[in-house]
Amino acid sequence: MSATEMLGSVLGAWPLAVVPMITFGPFALILWWRLRRRSRRIAAARAAGTVVPIHSPFMAKLPARYAAISRIGTDGAAPMTLDDHILRPSVGVKGMVAGLSVAATAFALWPEVAPAGFHEAMAELPGPTLIPQLVLLAVVANGLLYIFGTEARYNRDKLITTRMMFSRREYRWKDLDWIGDTGAYDLVLQFNSGGKAKVLKHCRGIEDFKMFAQQQIQKNRAAGA
């Protein structure tokens, strides 16, 4: 192939390269800009010892009505036993999850009472309808166990988290490195020992907890300076 023919071939294929660039280029730039901004915000918050916004830039926030319900019962100080502050899901969260669970259970057992289209969708699933019903009931049971079986306890020395009433872990405040906010549900505490603790955001006394955790971060950094 001569140089002239090669040049003509390249120029002929040029539109095929331009179209994807025009179509996807702006989306790639937006993605790069958002990830870069997120990285800078995380670095600045970690350096300052404040709560780090670690939620995805594309993650949907908790709908306003659910967020308002979840905040019910979060005001005031956390209940205490001896030296421990106890963080448990708020009344709003428990009430919302219980209500949704009752509705989901009713839909699973009596699909005809569900919103339009649910009964038809269940009927069109392959296999016996008992299987998707059992799956839905298992999801409901898991959600109830998670919310009603989750708590965090903390004192001046350590944090203890309990998940699903079975998983229990302890963390020392002297190892706390930073604390992040996932946006919708959890605070994530990262410890230098490699441990990572999750604490539900919608608990009574959660603001005091965040302030206490940030104070521990500052204390740890001052001790290591």
Side-chain angles (χ1 to χ4, degrees):
M1 178 181 293
S2 65
T4 303
E5 292 174 336
M6 185 177 296
L7 178 61
S9 177
V10 172
L11 292 176
W14 178 250
L16 297 178
V18 171
V19 170
M21 291 176 61
I22 295 176
T23 304
F24 301 105
F27 295 102
L29 288 174
I30 292 173
L31 175 61
W32 172 82
W33 176 75
R34 288 191 175 186
L35 292 177
R36 187 166 179 264
R37 184 180 65 172
R38 178 176 182 267
S39 178
R40 287 182 172 181
R41 290 175 62 191
I42 290 175
R46 289 187 64 173
T50 56
V51 178
V52 179
I54 59 174
H55 58 278
S56 167
F58 303 102
M59 182 181 295
K61 295 182 179 180
L62 196 64
R65 60 183 182 279
Y66 293 140
I69 295 173
S70 299
R71 286 193 294 268
I72 297 175
T74 59
D75 295 332
M80 293 187 63
T81 59
L82 298 178
D83 294 332
D84 291 341
H85 300 263
I86 306 173
L87 300 175
R88 293 192 180 101
S90 68
V91 173
V93 168
K94 290 181 177 179
M96 180 173 61
V97 170
L100 293 174
S101 298
V102 169
T105 301
F107 297 163
L109 299 179
W110 303 284
E112 61 275 9
V113 305
F118 185 87
H119 179 68
E120 292 76 7
M122 291 281 287
E124 291 179 2
L125 290 174
T129 57
L130 179 62
I131 294 177
Q133 287 177 322
L134 292 176
V135 170
L136 185 54
L137 291 175
V139 171
V140 169
N142 181 78
L144 288 172
L145 186 60
Y146 179 82
I147 290 299
F148 287 88
T150 294
E151 75 168 25
R153 294 172 177 253
Y154 71 98
N155 53 40
R156 65 180 184 178
D157 298 316
K158 60 186 177 181
L159 167 68
I160 303 173
T161 61
T162 302
R163 293 273 174 171
M164 308 287 284
M165 298 190 298
F166 308 115
S167 175
R168 183 178 183 275
R169 295 192 62 181
E170 293 188 7
Y171 308 86
R172 293 287 175 179
W173 288 120
K174 65 181 182 179
D175 297 325
L176 181 63
D177 184 27
W178 57 272
I179 177 173
D181 186 340
T182 61
Y185 305 104
D186 296 308
L187 297 175
V188 178
L189 290 84
Q190 183 69 53
F191 293 81
N192 287 320
S193 56
K196 182 183 293 185
K198 287 187 176 183
V199 176
L200 191 68
K201 287 173 57 176
H202 302 105
C203 299
R204 184 179 179 187
I206 195 65
E207 294 302 324
D208 291 340
F209 174 78
K210 287 194 291 186
M211 185 179 300
F212 180 85
Q214 291 176 78
Q215 290 172 349
Q216 296 303 311
I217 293 172
Q218 300 293 348
K219 185 186 299 185
N220 293 343
R221 293 184 179 178

